[in-house]
Amino acid sequence: EIEEPRNQLNHGTIKGNIIHKIFEIYGQNYLEEKNWLKKLTQNLVEKENLIDEKTKNEIIDLSFNFLDSQLFTEIFSGIVKCEFEINYLQKLYRIDLVIEQENEVLIIDYKSDEYLSPQALQGYTKQLELYKKAISQIYPHKKILIAILKINDLSLVKIS
C-alpha cells in the first residue's frame, strides 16, 4: 500500500492561493494599464506547475473578468492597502485589503470557496469583526465596514 504524502495541498487550495496572489498584485498595481496586468497574470499563471491547463485557463478567465468588472473599479478607489499587517491583542494579523475613504474604511477578505456555508460565513465574519476592532484603533473617527469578496462569482458580500 502506497501512502499519500501528508503535505500535499489539495487542488482547490492551490488554485485559491494563486488567485489570491493575483488579486494582491492587482491591489498593489490597480492604477496600471489593464493590458499590462493581464499580461502579468498570464505570465504568473503559466509558470505554475502544480495545476493543469484547464485550471490555468479558469484562473486567467476569472482574473480577467474581475479586472474588467465594475467591482474592480468600485473596490480600488481611495487609499488602497494590500496585505495590511496589524498587531492587535499581541497577535499579528494580515488583512487582504484595506481601503481608506474620506469618512470610512472598508476591510475586504478574499475567499475562493466554491460555496460559503453558513458555518464558514460565521467563521469569516468573526475574523472580520476582529479586524474591524483592530482597524478602529488606527481610524477611531471613521466608519469601519467589512466585506468578503467571493472570488468565484466576483461578488462583494457586505457584512457590516
Side-chain angles (χ1 to χ4, degrees):
E1 184 174 45
I2 300 170
E3 234 182 277
E4 285 291 311
R6 286 209 169 92
N7 63 356
Q8 196 173 36
L9 286 171
N10 80 26
H11 188 259
T13 303
I14 295 167
K15 182 179 175 184
N17 288 343
I18 296 167
I19 293 169
H20 197 284
K21 182 70 188 155
I22 290 168
F23 279 40
E24 182 187 334
I25 290 167
Y26 289 171
Q28 293 164 341
N29 299 281
Y30 70 96
L31 294 173
E32 296 292 336
E33 282 290 318
K34 286 190 179 175
N35 285 336
W36 181 81
L37 289 171
K38 287 180 179 181
K39 213 174 245 355
L40 191 67
T41 302
Q42 281 180 306
N43 291 340
L44 200 127
V45 172
E46 287 308 315
K47 287 180 189 156
E48 281 299 330
N49 54 8
L50 296 174
I51 51 172
D52 56 28
E53 284 303 310
K54 180 179 177 280
T55 306
K56 287 180 182 183
N57 290 331
E58 287 170 8
I59 292 171
I60 289 170
D61 287 348
L62 190 78
S63 301
F64 286 10
N65 287 343
F66 178 58
L67 270 178
D68 294 331
S69 72
Q70 185 60 41
L71 190 57
F72 179 87
T73 309
E74 286 171 25
I75 290 175
F76 296 112
S77 62
I79 300 168
V80 177
K81 298 170 183 168
C82 300
E83 295 299 313
F84 185 76
E85 289 187 344
I86 185 164
N87 207 325
Y88 181 64
L89 302 177
Q90 290 151 3
K91 193 168 179 204
L92 186 67
Y93 295 97
R94 181 175 283 160
I95 303 171
D96 291 341
L97 197 56
V98 175
I99 296 160
E100 185 186 340
Q101 303 283 359
E102 193 177 334
N103 299 314
E104 63 185 36
V105 175
L106 175 61
I107 298 169
I108 296 177
D109 202 25
Y110 302 143
K111 293 298 173 200
S112 57
D113 309 40
E114 289 290 327
Y115 165 72
L116 273 181
S117 69
Q119 293 88 346
L121 191 58
Q122 192 175 18
Y124 294 149
T125 300
K126 252 188 195 155
Q127 178 187 3
L128 282 162
E129 290 289 349
L130 193 67
Y131 293 168
K132 185 177 183 173
K133 285 183 182 138
I135 290 289
S136 68
Q137 311 283 305
I138 300 172
Y139 303 102
H141 304 296
K142 293 192 181 203
K143 183 178 180 183
I144 312 291
L145 305 169
I146 53 178
I148 292 172
L149 174 59
K150 287 175 54 191
I151 290 172
N152 286 325
D153 63 4
L154 297 178
S155 64
L156 195 64
V157 180
K158 293 189 178 174
I159 296 171
S160 71

